Amino acid sequence: MKTASLYKRTGKALVLILCLYASLTATHRGEFWPFSIYPMFSKAGKPWVKVITRKIRAQPDSIGWKVILSPNHLAGKPLALRTVGTNRNDLANYITQTHHWSGKAIRGLRGLYNGAAQNNSLLIYKVTGALDSTNDSVMVEYVPFLYLSADTARFSNYSMARFTQK
Amino acid sequence: MSLIPVIFQYHQTWDERTFRWIRFVELMIVLQVIFYAWDWGLYVERLETVVRPLGLANYLDVSILFHHQLSLLLALLITAIILLGYYRKVRWAYLLALILMHLMYVTRFSQGKVGHGTNFIGMGLFCFAIALLLYDSENERFKTAWGLLIFFIGLSYTLASLSKLFGTGLHWPDGPHLWLWMHQLAIDHWSQNGHFSFSSFQLFILHHRDFATFILASGWLIEFSGFLYWFPKTRPLMTTLLLGLHIGIFFSMNINFLDNFALMMVLVGYPWQKLLKYGKRKTMTEELVFRK
């Protein structure tokens, strides 16, 4: 094939691909793998919510369900998600984006802990981070969200979750 | 001068080492696709519900792949099909593998978080898929795939910078924004590994607002310059600057820079073929013509 034809064919293909890229990302919130607008870190200064999990000995009635400002005052010991083979973003998004905690939703959460909730008593904290009003420092708060054990799932008053069954 | 001839270079004669290097990169893409097909397939088995659908998951119920080892069957299918493409047995194999891999991706990342670490692998597979469909000659296929890969890698970084500009505005590089992300990623690291402490470098950033602003502004400028990756003369420099960007991200925010994102950019960006010895022939011959 002559060189000019090659360039013409590839050029047309590239234009079509770019149109496909633009239309797919525009209609799917910027993401249609492998096409993306790469919006990572695009919204600066936005407060975030993450999750950490602690292994505790206390029963749910004796837990101090308080918002904590220092990681040194958290209950129990950390549960590292790598030990259960779960990605922390999956867990965080699952918890923050589930609004109706049915039995199926709780089972899904137990699945993400991959048996850790069967063998331990877990206290799940939602961790919120935001810039203070003067934008000079970062405020981090640890809000107790859910106590999870082999036979119990109890939400804190902060969770404002609707929980229908275990 | 038009951009297309600069990137695709059909009018130039490439030496045989360049094609061997491209074939090696193609193999790297294929192996990584196979790896992630099985990695995601195994992970998907523990999922229960779709939290946030992406891509094709908006139209198909991908939760059926959560059970009965269907995700592993999908991984097996992807493996078989992509190898058909690599050995040039079926012309549309790469395209089919890409569609199935997209399905696997939206199933794996159905829990709310969008992962970008494999976008360049997917784009690599896409570029080779298009090249195989457009052309019969391996010479033209390799040049097309390589040119498309160069184009989309460069475009991706510039797009990322524009996302930041339109997402936040000109004050995006303000230092406290980096502090907020550093604390977020510290919690991420703590959650994943059970422990975390800021390094000396990170503590310096957290106590010096101007330095934090400088880091963000430099990073943004390097990203915006990503389109310079398209040009042979500026590609090695841009590769080095982008590598520096990823290294900076690693040391300030603990985000792994040797993931597939940076790796693909480096494999394509430097003229590694110059390290290879010449084979029996100095120019490419038509050895792997697709037979209909």
Side-chain angles (χ1 to χ4, degrees):
Chain A
M1 192 179 285
K2 289 188 176 175
T3 308
S5 304
L6 293 173
Y7 284 125
K8 201 172 175 184
R9 180 188 276 197
T10 301
K12 282 183 184 173
L14 190 54
V15 169
L16 282 172
I17 292 168
L18 286 172
C19 289
L20 180 70
Y21 197 125
S23 55
L24 285 174
T25 51
T27 54
H28 292 86
R29 290 174 294 193
E31 304 285 352
F32 198 96
W33 190 90
F35 306 124
S36 174
I37 60 169
Y38 299 97
M40 308 88 87
F41 303 109
S42 61
K43 292 195 186 300
K46 190 180 168 195
W48 46 261
V49 181
K50 290 289 179 174
V51 164
I52 59 167
T53 311
R54 309 285 287 186
K55 288 189 284 192
I56 62 172
R57 292 183 188 276
Q59 292 299 308
D61 290 332
S62 55
I63 294 172
W65 296 90
K66 294 180 184 175
V67 175
I68 293 172
L69 301 179
S70 165
N72 297 326
H73 299 143
L74 292 171
K77 293 182 178 178
L79 172 73
L81 292 179
R82 63 172 168 75
T83 62
V84 300
T86 292
N87 183 280
R88 76 272 184 183
N89 291 316
D90 286 343
L91 182 68
N93 281 291
Y94 189 92
I95 286 175
T96 57
Q97 296 186 30
T98 299
H99 303 293
H100 185 77
W101 287 93
S102 63
K104 188 179 180 187
I106 295 284
R107 278 198 305 277
L109 183 61
R110 290 183 185 280
L112 285 174
Y113 279 112
N114 205 18
Q118 294 302 113
N119 305 322
N120 300 284
S121 297
L122 305 178
L123 184 59
I124 302 167
Y125 287 88
K126 280 188 181 178
V127 187
T128 65
L131 290 173
D132 68 5
S133 54
T134 58
N135 268 9
D136 272 342
S137 63
V138 178
M139 298 183 307
V140 179
E141 291 184 344
Y142 302 82
V143 183
F145 175 71
L146 171 66
Y147 170 90
L148 192 68
S149 66
D151 55 3
T152 304
R154 183 179 296 187
F155 290 87
S156 74
N157 292 333
Y158 298 105
S159 67
M160 296 184 69
R162 288 192 297 139
F163 176 53
T164 56
Q165 56 183 304
K166 192 176 64 166
Chain B
M1 190 181 182
S2 169
L3 184 64
I4 303 285
V6 171
I7 295 178
F8 292 94
Q9 301 188 349
Y10 294 118
H11 59 284
Q12 291 190 2
T13 304
W14 286 1
D15 75 42
E16 176 257 357
R17 295 179 302 170
T18 306
F19 291 104
R20 275 197 286 137
W21 180 252
I22 298 172
R23 185 69 171 159
F24 171 72
V25 172
E26 182 185 358
L27 177 61
M28 290 296 104
I29 292 169
V30 166
L31 290 177
Q32 287 178 96
V33 167
I34 292 172
F35 172 78
Y36 281 105
W38 288 97
D39 185 53
W40 294 344
L42 286 165
Y43 191 91
V44 156
E45 289 215 295
R46 70 171 66 185
L47 301 179
E48 187 75 28
T49 57
V50 174
V51 175
R52 183 188 165 202
L54 296 172
L56 285 179
N58 286 291
Y59 313 103
L60 303 171
D61 180 11
V62 297
S63 65
I64 57 171
L65 292 172
F66 293 164
H67 310 295
H68 309 302
Q69 300 180 319
L70 289 176
S71 60
L72 298 181
L73 188 61
L74 180 59
L76 186 63
L77 210 55
I78 291 168
T79 304
I81 291 171
I82 201 172
L83 288 174
L84 287 175
Y86 182 74
Y87 288 108
R88 303 294 192 262
K89 298 298 183 190
V90 177
R91 191 166 189 160
W92 38 265
Y94 275 166
L95 186 63
L96 181 57
L98 181 72
I99 294 169
L100 293 176
M101 197 60 182
H102 171 93
L103 195 61
M104 183 69 93
Y105 173 89
V106 298
T107 308
R108 162 61 185 90
F109 291 98
S110 57
Q111 305 303 294
K113 170 69 179 175
V114 178
H116 291 95
T118 55
N119 279 64
F120 279 179
I121 298 171
M123 282 311 298
L125 184 58
F126 175 76
C127 294
F128 276 95
I130 297 298
L132 257 64
L133 289 171
L134 276 181
Y135 296 111
D136 294 326
S137 149
E138 283 302 312
N139 187 322
E140 289 156 8
R141 283 173 172 175
F142 279 159
K143 285 189 173 183
T144 303
W146 201 243
L148 288 172
L149 205 43
I150 286 168
F151 180 79
F152 283 110
I153 289 174
L155 179 69
S156 298
Y157 282 100
T158 302
L159 270 181
S161 73
L162 294 176
S163 288
K164 294 171 175 71
L165 185 64
F166 290 117
T168 300
L170 291 172
H171 63 285
W172 182 88
D174 195 18
H177 297 158
L178 179 56
W179 296 344
L180 190 57
W181 284 318
M182 286 172 69
H183 279 85
Q184 176 185 341
L185 291 154
I187 298 295
D188 270 347
H189 198 274
W190 189 13
S191 180
Q192 192 73 33
N193 300 296
H195 59 86
F196 181 80
S197 59
F198 286 118
S199 67
S200 305
F201 180 64
Q202 290 167 333
L203 287 171
F204 184 84
I205 296 172
L206 289 168
H207 288 105
H208 294 84
R209 182 180 184 145
D210 289 345
F211 184 64
T213 302
F214 169 75
I215 285 178
L216 287 184
S218 307
W220 188 89
L221 280 170
I222 291 172
E223 264 192 346
F224 180 74
S225 308
F227 64 92
L228 293 175
Y229 194 86
W230 296 341
F231 306 100
K233 286 187 179 173
T234 49
R235 190 174 311 135
L237 172 65
M238 274 317 301
T239 303
T240 305
L241 289 174
L242 290 168
L243 195 55
L245 169 74
H246 284 285
I247 291 171
I249 291 171
F250 174 73
F251 282 109
S252 58
M253 294 198 283
N254 293 102
I255 296 175
N256 184 9
F257 73 92
L258 270 178
D259 63 9
N260 310 291
F261 212 86
L263 184 63
M264 190 65 61
M265 181 267 296
V266 168
L267 285 177
V268 175
Y270 289 127
W272 298 102
Q273 65 273 16
K274 292 186 178 177
L275 298 175
L276 300 176
K277 289 182 182 175
Y278 280 105
K280 289 181 182 174
R281 286 170 285 267
K282 282 208 169 178
T283 55
M284 182 68 176
T285 58
E286 307 246 348
E287 294 174 356
L288 290 170
V289 175
F290 177 77
R291 299 186 193 286
K292 290 181 186 175

